[in-house]
Amino acid sequence: MNSKVEQSKAGTPAADIAKYVLALALVVGGLVAWWWFNGQWATPVRALAVVAGLVLGALVFLQTGKGRDTREFLSESRFELRKVVWPTREEATRTTWVVVIVVIILSLILAAFDFGIQKAIELFLNFGR
């Protein structure tokens, strides 16, 4: 069986739970500093406290099992993005125009159906008046 599946079924060790709590406390601490020191600290300093809390919380999170899985996923995603063949500017422009034209045509068709159904209902409701 896959070792990753076996690891994920093993449960969360107590150390990881402590790291999750610490990461959450760092993020919340940065946000609390934003509101607590309103009017006492300059806004850039308060914003720096929030950013520091987010960064430190993320660094602590990345040391957990889920954090390692997240780093591995991001690394593999980056590797896969290198293999993508991106369209040229001309191809992207051409495709965009095709999409715009199809959207306009479908909008006109739906508007015609809407108009036709509206007139049919008005004719039905006004029949015999």
Side-chain angles (χ1 to χ4, degrees):
M1 215 175 164
N2 191 351
S3 62
K4 290 182 186 178
V5 173
E6 291 172 5
Q7 288 175 356
S8 66
K9 289 182 182 178
T12 305
D16 276 358
I17 293 175
K19 289 176 186 176
Y20 293 144
V21 171
L22 178 61
L24 184 63
L26 288 168
V27 171
V28 170
L31 293 173
V32 167
W34 173 264
W35 286 296
W36 187 269
F37 295 106
N38 188 15
Q40 297 174 10
W41 290 358
T43 303
V45 175
R46 290 174 35 226
L48 186 62
V50 173
V51 170
L54 289 171
V55 168
L56 291 174
L59 288 174
V60 170
F61 170 76
L62 289 175
Q63 301 306 313
T64 64
K66 291 291 182 188
R68 285 186 287 277
D69 291 345
T70 303
R71 279 192 315 235
E72 184 178 343
F73 172 76
L74 292 174
S75 173
E76 290 174 3
S77 298
R78 189 171 165 203
F79 178 73
E80 291 296 327
L81 277 175
R82 289 182 186 153
K83 296 194 291 187
V84 173
V85 178
W86 297 101
T88 63
R89 183 176 181 90
E90 181 182 320
E91 290 171 335
T93 304
R94 191 179 316 129
T95 304
T96 301
W97 279 112
V98 168
V99 169
V100 167
I101 290 169
V102 169
V103 166
I104 289 171
I105 291 171
L106 287 176
S107 298
L108 292 173
I109 290 171
L110 289 174
F113 281 140
D114 185 46
F115 182 76
I117 291 170
Q118 177 187 0
K119 291 301 175 187
I121 290 174
E122 285 178 4
L123 182 67
F124 177 74
L125 292 177
N126 291 331
F127 187 72
R129 283 191 181 182

